[in-house]
Amino acid sequence: MLNDKEINSLIHLLDDPDEEVFRHVEEKLLTLGTAVIAPLEAAWEKSFDSFLQSRIENLIHKIQFEQVFNELELWYMGGGFDLLQGLIIVNKYQYPDLEDQTIINQVEEIKRDAWLEMMYNMSAVEKVRLLNNVFYNMHGFKGNTKNYHDPQNSYIGKVLETRRGNPILLAALYSIVAQRLDIPIYGVNLPRHFILAYMDEQIKADEAGVLFYINAFNRGQIFGRHDVLSFLKQLNLPNDEQFFLPCDNLAIVSRVLRNLLASYNQAGSLEKAAEIQRLLSIFG
């Protein structure tokens, strides 16, 4: 590892007009990872050269992107058991400075508000009504119908801040809170519209234990299997089992990334789209 003096000497060479020198310096700084972000930011603040500042900004972004890629790859290889952590890693792509704990605390606050109202003998429908009241009335979450394709709808930190999101982020957040309360609500990877299933492993009430479905984008509306069938029929899609049953967390995070890819492509942000595509490559 280089010392501070050596790192600063390299940073001073970032404005070298010789492309070969610049590439060599950039590669060297990239290998040092997040340790060089603080000295890079300090150099940016001291500089009045917009060309150097631009190079520093790009370099910081590259370092942070590699960090996100590595974290997401580790999460994937570990089986993706913590959905919230997967969404936090994706959030770091756009908001690298937002602390993990800030997001975790906000989720815990929603959970606590629901837990305070929870009673032991509640039925499944009563539990969903309670969750709906906490999620949509107390905390004010709603589907972002005005800017449906905005990429911000796919970042959990922004969704928690604005209380607006797309179907998959609202559903993911809803299910995370529910599962932390031991309520068996899981995501279902329905095409065009991500939904939730309330499961009952003991009573085989419907297809493999699904009691009913929940539309998190529409204030937690409850509906049945026949509604899913009608939706699939409208899309001319087969009644495939995967459209009725819970999916794993890897499928949820990869779908979040696909939404981001579509949003950035639609907005003409091709560099961001290319980076999201690279993150998606982790999922095969």
Side-chain angles (χ1 to χ4, degrees):
M1 184 69 185
L2 301 179
N3 61 38
D4 290 350
K5 191 176 179 182
E6 289 169 322
I7 289 170
N8 286 323
S9 296
L10 281 172
I11 291 171
H12 284 308
L13 289 171
L14 279 173
D15 62 352
D16 196 295
D18 187 324
E19 277 293 322
E20 189 105 9
V21 172
F22 166 68
R23 272 200 303 274
H24 176 74
V25 171
E26 185 183 49
E27 282 170 20
K28 183 67 180 171
L29 288 167
L30 278 169
T31 62
L32 299 174
T34 53
V36 297
I37 288 179
L40 281 168
E41 287 175 337
W44 186 95
E45 286 171 8
K46 288 175 189 170
S47 174
F48 294 100
D49 181 352
S50 59
F51 178 69
L52 175 60
Q53 286 181 326
S54 176
R55 280 186 164 180
I56 290 172
E57 286 165 14
N58 289 335
L59 181 54
I60 289 172
H61 177 73
K62 283 181 182 179
I63 292 168
Q64 288 171 333
F65 176 78
E66 289 305 319
Q67 178 78 5
V68 169
F69 184 90
N70 293 336
E71 280 189 41
L72 192 61
E73 192 172 44
L74 280 171
W75 180 82
Y76 173 83
M77 289 166 68
F81 293 110
D82 187 340
L83 175 57
L84 181 57
Q85 190 56 38
L87 295 174
I88 286 171
I89 295 167
V90 172
N91 194 80
K92 286 179 184 177
Y93 170 73
Q94 185 67 28
Y95 301 100
D97 297 326
L98 184 61
E99 294 287 336
D100 295 13
Q101 199 58 47
T102 301
I103 292 173
I104 293 165
N105 290 347
Q106 287 174 296
V107 172
E108 280 298 313
E109 186 186 341
I110 302 165
K111 176 208 155 183
R112 187 177 65 249
D113 287 341
W115 179 79
L116 289 169
E117 303 286 329
M118 195 77 68
M119 287 185 283
Y120 176 73
N121 59 349
M122 278 181 158
S123 68
V125 170
E126 285 170 336
K127 285 176 183 176
V128 169
R129 283 181 184 149
L130 167 61
L131 277 175
N132 287 350
N133 185 50
V134 170
F135 202 73
Y136 302 104
N137 295 333
M138 283 178 67
H139 285 271
F141 286 99
K142 66 188 295 187
N144 192 345
T145 50
K146 285 184 180 176
N147 297 301
Y148 186 85
H149 298 289
D150 189 334
Q152 304 307 318
N153 294 328
S154 292
Y155 293 113
I156 191 167
K158 204 67 184 172
V159 171
L160 284 163
E161 180 193 322
T162 64
R163 300 306 206 239
R164 301 288 181 273
N166 56 23
I168 191 165
L169 252 290
L170 291 178
L173 192 52
Y174 191 107
S175 69
I176 288 165
V177 171
Q179 287 169 39
R180 288 182 175 214
L181 292 161
D182 293 322
I183 300 172
I185 294 175
Y186 303 94
V188 178
N189 211 354
L190 187 66
R192 306 269 188 96
H193 197 82
F194 197 87
I195 59 171
L196 295 165
Y198 194 115
M199 303 298 292
D200 190 326
E201 292 84 4
Q202 293 172 323
I203 304 168
K204 302 295 180 186
D206 197 355
E207 181 84 6
V210 176
L211 285 176
F212 51 79
Y213 297 95
I214 303 161
N215 184 352
F217 194 70
N218 188 21
R219 297 183 62 81
Q221 175 195 20
I222 291 172
F223 58 100
R225 178 180 167 82
H226 62 282
D227 296 300
V228 180
L229 281 166
S230 298
F231 184 71
L232 291 170
K233 193 175 179 182
Q234 285 174 11
L235 296 177
N236 291 317
L237 288 168
N239 302 334
D240 197 311
E241 192 181 63
Q242 65 170 319
F243 302 148
F244 295 90
L245 297 176
C247 61
D248 62 21
N249 295 335
L250 301 178
I252 294 173
V253 171
S254 66
R255 182 154 172 178
V256 169
L257 289 169
R258 286 199 304 275
N259 279 356
L260 274 171
L261 180 63
S263 294
Y264 285 131
N265 274 325
Q266 189 172 332
S269 304
L270 302 184
E271 285 182 20
K272 284 184 178 290
E275 287 175 333
I276 297 297
Q277 186 67 64
R278 193 172 158 227
L279 294 179
L280 260 172
S281 71
I282 291 169
F283 296 80

